[in-house]
Structure formats: C-alpha cells, structure tokens
C-alpha cells in the first residue's frame, strides 16, 4: 500500500537521540510491534474472563463491576478510577518507551525495549539464544502480533454482533443438539 514510503508525522520526526534519528521504516515497524503486543493482551482479555471467571466486586466498586464476561459490556461497568489507573500505567510505559528510543536514536531496533539477550537486558528466565535463534524468535513475535491484530478485530466484531462473550459462544457451538441420540439422523437409513 506504500505506507513505508510515506514519512512519519512531525510528532515522531523530531525524536532525535544521542546517536541520530530513527528511520521512517523503523517507526512503522515499531508501531506494528507495539500495536501487535497490545492486540495480544486484548485477545487474552477477551478470552480469560470466560475461561477463568471474573473478579469479585465490592461495595465501593459495585458488586457487579467486574462480573460481565462480554468485554464490550464489561468496559462500561468498570469504575472510572480503575480505568484511570490503567490509563496512567500505560502512559508511564509509553513515555518510558519513547525515552528508550530517544536515548538509542538511530541504533534503536524496533521492538527492542531492553528486553531479551545481552548485558543489561531484562531476561527474568535467563534464556540464551544464538543470534539466528533470537532472530527467529523476533520473527515469530511479529507473526503473532499480526495474527493477534486480525484476531482481536474478529473477536470484537463477534462480541458486538452477538452480545455474548467468546467462551459462551464457543460452548453453545460445541454442544450436541437434542436430537443427537437418534443415530439414524446421522447415518444412512438401514445402517
């Protein structure tokens, strides 16, 4: 579609770091990865309440504040202060990400938020990959991000159309109909 040939807007073009300016194509890859990571979390958020249950409310938040398994309806039930907490935390993460990009400048690799391999990186499980294996993991992440962006749109559209959560829809679709006991319905006559 030619997106990679279009320069980024003035908001991002002024972000210079110690080592120069990050390129336009790198900004688009960064945006793709960040949106994909958010989409992956959103997919989990659409599915988890139906699988694992919801959180209990209380008198202050409301007894039913977190009880809805349809994410679109649940959003309107969550207290405003809880949404403010999420917004402030996400803003903190975004400002931190922009700070890392400014610091590294042209040396910044899209999606590299000081997580992964190498000295000074956040690696809680102590995973060690070869360069080829790490490049493969980065490609896998990109593919998962793209799939999640498509998936969350489908989940959103289906929840909007049906008014039900994902698990309720799946459980209704996977249940056997009442007439299943009659074997002749599935098999040809005489068998």
């Amino acid at each position: 579609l030619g997106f990679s040939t279009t320069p980024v807007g003035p908001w991002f073009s002024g972000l210079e770091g110690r080592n120069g300016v990050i390129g336009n194509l790198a900004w688009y890859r960064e945006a793709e990865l960040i949106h994909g990571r958010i989409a992956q979390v959103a997919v989990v958020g659409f599915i988890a309440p139906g699988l694992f249950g919801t959180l209990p409310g209380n008198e202050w938040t409301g007894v039913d504040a977190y009880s809805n398994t349809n994410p679109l309806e649940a959003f309107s039930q969550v207290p405003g202060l809880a949404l403010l907490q999420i917004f402030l935390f996400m803003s903190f993460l975004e400002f931190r990400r922009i700070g890392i990009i400014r610091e590294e400048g042209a040396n910044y690799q899209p999606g590299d938020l000081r997580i992964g391999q190498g000295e000074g990186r956040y690696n809680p499980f102590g995973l060690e990959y070869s360069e080829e294996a790490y490049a493969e993991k980065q490609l896998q992440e990109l593919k998962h991000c793209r799939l999640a962006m498509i998936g969350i749109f489908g989940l959103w559209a289906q929840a909007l159309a049906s008014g039900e959560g994902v698990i309720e829809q799946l459980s209704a679709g996977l249940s056997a109909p009442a007439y299943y006991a009659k074997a002749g319905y599935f098999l040809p006559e005489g068998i």
Side-chain angles (χ1 to χ4, degrees):
L1 296 175
F3 291 133
S4 61
T5 61
T6 306
V8 295
W11 171 260
F12 296 116
S13 61
L15 286 179
E16 296 181 15
R18 290 186 220 151
N19 305 320
V21 180
I22 187 170
N24 288 330
L25 186 57
W27 271 114
Y28 287 120
R29 177 53 56 94
E30 176 74 13
E32 180 181 27
L33 283 168
I34 293 301
H35 286 101
R37 289 171 180 171
I38 292 168
Q40 290 179 63
V41 172
V43 167
V44 171
F46 262 71
I47 296 173
L51 285 177
F52 305 114
T54 58
L55 299 172
N58 58 32
E59 292 172 12
W60 182 76
T61 61
V63 179
D64 295 342
Y66 305 109
S67 63
N68 201 328
T69 57
N70 180 352
L72 302 180
E73 293 175 10
F75 186 76
S76 65
Q77 292 178 340
V78 176
L81 287 177
L83 294 176
L84 180 64
Q85 287 177 342
I86 294 169
F87 174 77
L88 291 175
F89 180 68
M90 296 308 294
S91 297
F92 165 76
L93 292 179
E94 190 64 14
F95 282 119
R96 183 174 180 274
R97 181 178 73 88
I98 296 291
I100 291 170
I101 293 170
R102 279 183 192 257
E103 186 178 312
E104 298 209 11
N107 294 334
Y108 180 74
Q109 296 296 315
D112 185 13
L113 298 174
R114 298 184 179 152
I115 297 172
Q117 305 294 299
E119 181 125 357
R121 302 285 176 170
Y122 179 72
N123 189 356
F125 300 112
L127 302 173
E128 296 294 331
Y129 296 110
S130 66
E131 280 204 34
E132 297 82 23
Y134 190 62
E136 178 67 23
K137 295 294 181 192
Q138 288 177 316
L139 179 62
Q140 289 173 359
E141 179 191 22
L142 183 62
K143 290 179 178 182
H144 292 147
C145 286
R146 290 173 178 167
L147 182 60
M149 286 188 279
I150 294 169
I152 194 61
F153 177 74
L155 290 170
W156 171 80
Q158 189 62 30
L160 189 64
S162 70
E164 293 182 344
V166 176
I167 302 304
E168 289 87 5
Q169 292 178 47
L170 282 175
S171 62
L174 296 177
S175 63
Y179 51 79
Y180 78 99
K182 199 169 133 185
Y185 184 84
F186 295 105
L187 302 171
E189 191 109 10
I191 291 183

